[in-house]
Amino acid sequence: MGVLVQNNQNSTNSQFMPQTLADAHLLLTKSPCMIFLPKELRAHFLKERQKQFITIAKLGWPLLVCMLVGEITIAHVFYRGSLLGQDHVIWDNHFFTCAVVLFVGVVFAHIPKMASSFQIWLGLLIVIVLLDKLYIALALKNIQLVQYHMGATIMIVVIDMLALRLTTSVATFSCLTAGFFAWFAAHKNLNSYDLYILLYFFTTVAICGAIALLVERQDKLLFLHKIVLLHQVEAQEDINNELSLLSQIDGLSGLANRRYFDEILELEWNRGLRDKMMLSIIFIDIDYFKIYNDTYGHIAGDECIKKVSSALGSIVIRSADLIARYGGEEFIVLLPNTELEGAIHIAEQMLSVVDRAKIPHKGSLILENISVSIGVASCIPLKSIQATDLINAADMALYQAKSNGRHQVCGGR
């Protein structure tokens, strides 16, 4: 915490380019009937749909298994008399195919690399299931079996279009592909088939596709609102963080201010009480600073404060340490878990670094350059004393350094 540094919190705004945020605002403003997302927005939208699909797949696969088992059970309980000969073989093979497709889909959904491309393989699995179901519906002779089978087929279409988080284009393409392949296979292999089944199927796909388009449009609008809102919230957080930081910084020196120092001192004092940990304070005062102001003027005095602050701050490098401007030409350093000897060593480095800065001071009575006097005090916090007692001890050591001729370090416990 040496020289107080701004919190390094990368805002998640950075994941969106300014142009992308502008595109989101523009789309929300226009709110067209068909929303075509730019490349980056589309990538994030599809990523959200991927997360939703993974959640649905992990939570919903038992329901799909129950639906498959239920369909098999109902078929054999209520339509046993109709399942004769070749129809029975076709029916059982179909459910075996559905079970394999369901198993593959569940496994793929639990593999991260496969889940990222679910729009592709899930679309293909839907094509396989619907192609098989439609062809069987066209091949079956019993009207009751056909009606029952088409009911299950339409349910899969609805799930495909509205529940699995496929894009409308992928879901519609899967259904239409399955429909055309089923018609082609029936045309080549079956002597006769009912075109009404295909008409019913394609009509259902068209209706579900229109509904899916509306749902996807709403999803995109919600996604855009979420991005814009997130951007606004993060912008406000950035402002709040900046204001919080400014409230902790001394405007002239760039170091922590006295109020923030007092807050951190209280925290470290309580920690020292709990952990029986040594705490040290260094009190620093610029020698003959009033004479400097009178000689060079207050503007030069402010520049002097900045240069001394920079020099002192370069010595305080541990993240737990804190240097602050305590008032006027006074500075104070908090050194947690530091013995007196270590604190005196740091104070001597500060004395030297200010000397090396060689800030001219022709009014000084001891040197030709700016110098500092330093007092150091250390203690293990106790309930019988206060944190201010440690500050007073460092102040007394500073007074001793001045009394001894300035430009030196004095320390005590």
Side-chain angles (χ1 to χ4, degrees), residues 65-99:
V65 171
C66 290
M67 288 173 61
L68 180 61
V69 172
E71 189 177 354
I72 296 172
T73 303
I74 291 172
H76 285 81
V77 170
F78 293 98
Y79 299 98
R80 179 179 300 184
S82 302
L83 290 172
L84 301 173
Q86 187 64 21
D87 283 355
H88 192 284
V89 175
I90 293 173
W91 198 267
D92 287 343
N93 287 340
H94 163 68
F95 284 120
F96 175 75
T97 301
C98 289

Side-chain angles (χ1 to χ4, degrees), residues 293-356:
N293 269 338
D294 293 341
T295 303
Y296 297 96
H298 289 282
I299 294 178
D302 289 346
E303 289 300 317
C304 176
I305 292 288
K306 292 178 183 179
K307 292 177 181 177
V308 172
S309 299
S310 178
L312 296 175
S314 67
I315 303 300
V316 183
I317 57 175
R318 293 193 314 177
S319 60
D321 299 339
L322 178 67
I323 179 170
R325 185 183 178 201
Y326 206 64
E329 69 273 19
E330 293 180 331
F331 303 88
I332 194 165
V333 183
L334 178 64
L335 302 172
N337 197 22
T338 303
E339 300 285 342
L340 179 63
E341 291 76 11
I344 289 177
H345 177 69
I346 292 174
E348 289 172 345
Q349 288 182 305
M350 290 180 163
L351 193 74
S352 298
V353 77
V354 173
D355 287 347
R356 291 196 299 272

